[in-house]
Amino acid sequence: MVQRVAVIGAGPSGLTSVKACLDEGMEPTCFESSDDMGGLWKFKEVSEPNRASIYRSLTINIWKEMMCYSDFPIPADYPNYMHHSKILKYFRLYAEHFKLLPYIRFQTSVKRVTQRPDFSRTGQWEVVTENKDGLEEKHVFDAVICCSGHFNYPNLPLKDFPGIETFEGKFFHSWDYKGPEDMHGKRVVVIGIGNSGGDIAVEGSRVAEQVYLSTRSGAWVIRQVSDNGLPVDRFNTRFVHVMFRLLPMSVLNWLGEKKLNAMYDHAMYGLKPKHRLFSQIPVINDDLPFKILSGSVLIKPNVKEIRGSTVVFNDGSAAENVDLIVFATGYNYDFPYLPNNVMYKSGHRVGLYKHVFPPVLEHPTLAIVGFIHSDGAIMPQAEMQARFVTRVFKGHKKLPSSQAMIKAVEKDTKNIERNYVVSRLTPLQVDFVEYMDDLAKDINVRPSLLWLFLTDFPLFRRVFWGPVTAYQYRLMGPGKWDGARRAIFTQFDRMYQPLRARQLGPHESSTAGRLIKWSLMIMAGGSAVYYIQVHNPTILPTLMSKLHQQTV
């Protein structure tokens, strides 16, 4: 029976893993190599080797209601999109509220994690740690949860850029970027159009003479501020998810691309990528289109070669007198403290069952939490993974055989490669709602839409028609939270509160607007019932029978 658990890392994944262990009555010990919690979100003026690093101005691109933990809403007065300093404050509040700090050993690095000689009988692990004074210590744990992240090892592919050794200016990876101070009056080339590359190009363009943003394949760019000024995440609803199940992907891509091009024509702006909209996570940047329109940022194709201070692009054009090159070229992933034989390779990725458990171990006492890439925030996904892991550790959930897990991993790999654009650096992508629901089903916490429709229609409306916030996974089952229903009903109050710095008079909706809203909700309810009936024909009669018994 698992009792003592080692948690590696006190970032967002590590914190929620410690809490999940405590919720299941286990004894966690969290080893954190730095002097503070927060992981990626702990800003430092100087990047530290083998640790994630962020820049001074970084603001998260996920709405606060979609990024918080399921039983601890972010304070109502916090902004909808938070600066990294606010996110760190939220983590501190979370750790203090659930009394997690006594279980964290700061400035303690994990050097090695190995199976004990009697692993086949006990499933135990030996963990070797090193404190700030260089002293090593050995520990024995019943299980280990790895939460060390995947933005620790910058990918700097200099061999792919002929002539880089002749470059007369300065170059570095975005991992080292802290602010635009070195860009004043300079000519800058940013290579890579992910979220970091876009942010750095925009921020640098405010002080640089000229910024060139080089992209190999282009990108779809969406805004955080969406229709009616609402956070774009607000529209990630179960109704939309049902539509994704019912409509062909080609139709959904066409509709989404048409919507984005109505805001700014991606072909005209030089952004249009080779892939379709839903084949890769888009770049989220409200400022980039204007910077392109104003000429502050020039979009260029991939770099062909570098000649001294001249950067030549694949189309034959060139940027001359370049002073600075920023490589926003992604990250490599690694777990240097784990033995190679515990990992299973599948395609470009580390093959993990449910993206959590190595499928080749005799005992499921090693888990990877937070090693996921999706269209949602890491916090609720890591939390769901941690809840799943601890249920497995305690024996409440039994995993399939090793052969069955490997088969499932290979099936996942094929699905990912079929539905998304993957590579060595981006080998993994999942749909946020689908993945959360899949894990939630395994631990019996997925909300039953039909049951809510029949027993609590006001809540059903908000669960189905509203954003898929993590509170939904605390409505029922193990870990049920009495405040979940209220958190769902008040999530828009928390959205509006920080915007009410200037009070205005009351606003009443029109009768026509109310009629349209009710018509859409009726359509949504009908779609949900139809979807459930098609995929699980036995659920409706079963629930009706239970409801009848309760009534009697």
Side-chain angles (χ1 to χ4, degrees):
M1 178 66 70
V2 171
Q3 189 60 28
R4 299 185 67 243
V5 181
V7 178
I8 303 174
S13 301
L15 291 176
T16 194
S17 294
V18 171
K19 178 184 177 294
C21 288
L22 294 173
D23 288 345
E24 291 292 341
M26 293 182 283
E27 302 169 12
T29 300
C30 180
F31 300 107
E32 168 55 44
S33 62
S34 77
D35 58 357
D36 201 356
M37 69 179 72
L40 170 73
W41 298 100
K42 171 62 178 178
F43 173 77
K44 294 197 173 184
E45 285 290 345
V46 178
S47 300
E48 298 177 352
N50 304 329
R51 292 188 56 80
S53 174
I54 56 176
Y55 34 96
R56 198 173 297 109
S57 63
L58 181 63
T59 297
I60 196 168
N61 56 20
I62 303 289
W63 178 35
K64 68 176 181 179
E65 291 298 308
M66 292 290 285
M67 63 153 278
C68 64
Y69 297 115
S70 62
D71 53 0
F72 195 71
I74 290 173
D77 61 335
Y78 278 35
N80 284 283
Y81 291 104
M82 300 192 298
H83 184 257
H84 62 74
S85 58
K86 285 285 188 183
I87 295 174
L88 187 60
K89 286 182 181 178
Y90 171 67
F91 291 152
R92 295 197 201 286
L93 292 173
Y94 179 79
E96 291 167 5
H97 179 78
F98 292 110
K99 299 178 173 58
L100 307 181
L101 288 173
Y103 301 93
I104 305 174
R105 293 179 57 174
F106 292 106
Q107 294 184 300
T108 306
S109 302
V110 172
K111 309 304 290 184
R112 293 185 303 280
V113 176
T114 54
Q115 293 160 303
R116 295 270 293 167
D118 58 354
F119 181 83
S120 60
R121 180 174 59 86
T122 65
Q124 290 182 329
W125 298 84
E126 182 176 275
V127 178
V128 178
T129 61
E130 182 181 272
N131 66 15
K132 62 179 180 179
D133 299 320
L135 296 178
E136 287 195 353
E137 185 179 357
K138 291 183 180 180
H139 318 259
V140 176
F141 288 98
D142 301 318
V144 177
I145 304 177
C146 304
C147 308
S148 49
H150 51 103
F151 295 110
N152 302 330
Y153 306 101
N155 175 58
L156 192 59
L158 298 182
K159 61 181 177 56
D160 295 338
F161 298 91
I164 185 65
E165 69 281 357
T166 71
F167 184 57
E168 300 170 358
K170 179 182 178 182
F171 67 85
F172 56 84
H173 192 275
S174 58
W175 179 82
D176 281 311
Y177 177 80
K178 297 299 175 181
E181 296 80 9
D182 292 339
M183 297 183 177
H184 280 267
K186 302 291 181 61
R187 295 173 64 80
V188 180
V189 173
V190 179
I191 300 175
I193 198 174
N195 285 312
S196 295
D199 283 352
I200 293 170
V202 165
E203 187 170 52
S205 71
R206 297 189 177 107
V207 298
E209 177 186 327
Q210 182 65 61
V211 172
Y212 301 87
L213 181 54
S214 168
T215 171
R216 179 178 300 174
S217 57
W220 294 104
V221 179
I222 67 174
R223 302 183 302 180
Q224 291 164 283
V225 182
S226 189
D227 296 350
N228 300 314
L230 297 176
V232 68
D233 320 55
R234 178 261 175 271
F235 300 99
N236 192 358
T237 68
R238 291 190 178 276
F239 172 71
V240 170
H241 191 65
V242 168
M243 292 299 101
F244 268 73
R245 291 287 189 172
L246 297 178
L247 295 177
M249 187 55 67
S250 58
V251 173
L252 294 167
N253 278 315
W254 179 81
L255 290 171
E257 291 165 11
K258 184 176 176 63
K259 174 73 172 177
L260 291 184
N261 282 323
M263 291 184 281
Y264 31 84
D265 188 316
H266 280 60
M268 183 175 70
Y269 278 60
L271 293 167
K272 186 177 180 180
K274 300 173 183 177
H275 59 267
R276 303 303 302 272
L277 174 58
F278 296 112
S279 296
Q280 194 174 74
I281 296 173
V283 172
I284 303 175
N285 198 309
D286 290 52
D287 298 324
L288 181 58
F290 173 72
K291 290 297 182 180
I292 296 171
L293 193 63
S294 65
S296 302
V297 175
L298 297 179
I299 303 296
K300 305 297 288 185
N302 197 36
V303 172
K304 179 181 179 182
E305 61 177 327
I306 298 166
R307 303 172 188 162
S309 62
T310 299
V311 177
V312 182
F313 302 100
N314 278 347
D315 61 358
S317 63
E320 298 180 343
N321 301 318
V322 173
D323 303 291
L324 184 65
I325 299 176
V326 182
F327 288 89
T329 45
Y331 292 83
N332 298 306
Y333 57 88
D334 193 16
F335 301 94
Y337 47 81
L338 291 178
N340 293 329
N341 64 344
V342 306
M343 288 301 189
Y344 175 77
K345 188 76 171 177
S346 178
H348 290 292
R349 70 189 184 101
V350 171
L352 301 171
Y353 178 69
K354 302 283 184 177
H355 307 298
V356 174
F357 284 101
V360 293
L361 294 177
E362 192 173 351
H363 296 283
T365 54
L366 174 69
I368 314 293
V369 168
F371 192 64
I372 194 74
H373 191 53
S374 82
D375 53 341
I378 188 62
M379 296 76 169
Q381 292 177 98
E383 180 188 42
M384 186 63 74
Q385 289 179 327
R387 294 172 71 186
F388 173 64
V389 165
T390 52
R391 297 294 287 177
V392 171
F393 284 174
K394 290 299 287 185
H396 300 306
K397 171 66 181 177
K398 184 174 176 59
L399 297 184
S401 67
S402 180
Q403 285 185 336
M405 287 194 288
I406 289 174
K407 186 176 180 181
V409 167
E410 293 299 336
K411 182 180 179 182
D412 279 346
T413 298
K414 290 179 181 177
N415 288 337
I416 292 169
E417 291 175 348
R418 182 176 65 249
N419 296 325
Y420 302 106
V421 176
V422 295
S423 66
R424 181 180 61 84
L425 296 178
T426 55
L428 170 62
Q429 185 170 333
V430 298
D431 177 85
F432 174 77
V433 177
E434 184 176 335
Y435 182 60
M436 291 284 283
D437 275 356
D438 183 51
L439 288 182
K441 180 182 177 182
D442 282 344
I443 57 175
N444 298 315
V445 298
R446 186 173 69 177
S448 171
L449 294 178
L450 192 55
W451 181 253
L452 293 177
F453 181 78
L454 296 173
T455 61
D456 192 342
F457 187 72
L459 180 58
F460 165 81
R461 283 170 47 200
R462 288 162 176 82
V463 169
F464 185 72
W465 195 253
V468 187
T469 47
Y471 318 125
Q472 296 186 9
Y473 302 101
R474 292 284 183 179
L475 290 169
M476 53 190 66
K480 178 182 177 181
W481 175 45
D482 291 338
R485 187 178 188 276
R486 175 171 173 75
I488 292 171
F489 273 73
T490 56
Q491 56 196 3
F492 287 116
D493 295 336
R494 289 187 295 278
M495 180 187 78
Y496 288 123
Q497 181 162 326
L499 301 175
R500 289 172 175 156
R502 174 180 174 237
Q503 296 296 326
L504 302 175
H507 173 72
E508 295 185 3
S509 59
S510 65
T511 302
R514 288 194 295 269
L515 287 173
I516 292 173
K517 182 178 178 180
W518 278 100
S519 299
L520 289 173
M521 283 193 292
I522 292 170
M523 289 172 58
S527 299
V529 172
Y530 171 76
Y531 176 77
I532 293 170
Q533 181 64 19
V534 167
H535 288 80
N536 291 284
T538 61
I539 286 183
L540 186 57
T542 302
L543 285 176
M544 292 299 290
S545 174
K546 288 182 180 179
L547 191 62
H548 176 70
Q549 291 173 8
Q550 287 189 3
T551 304
V552 173

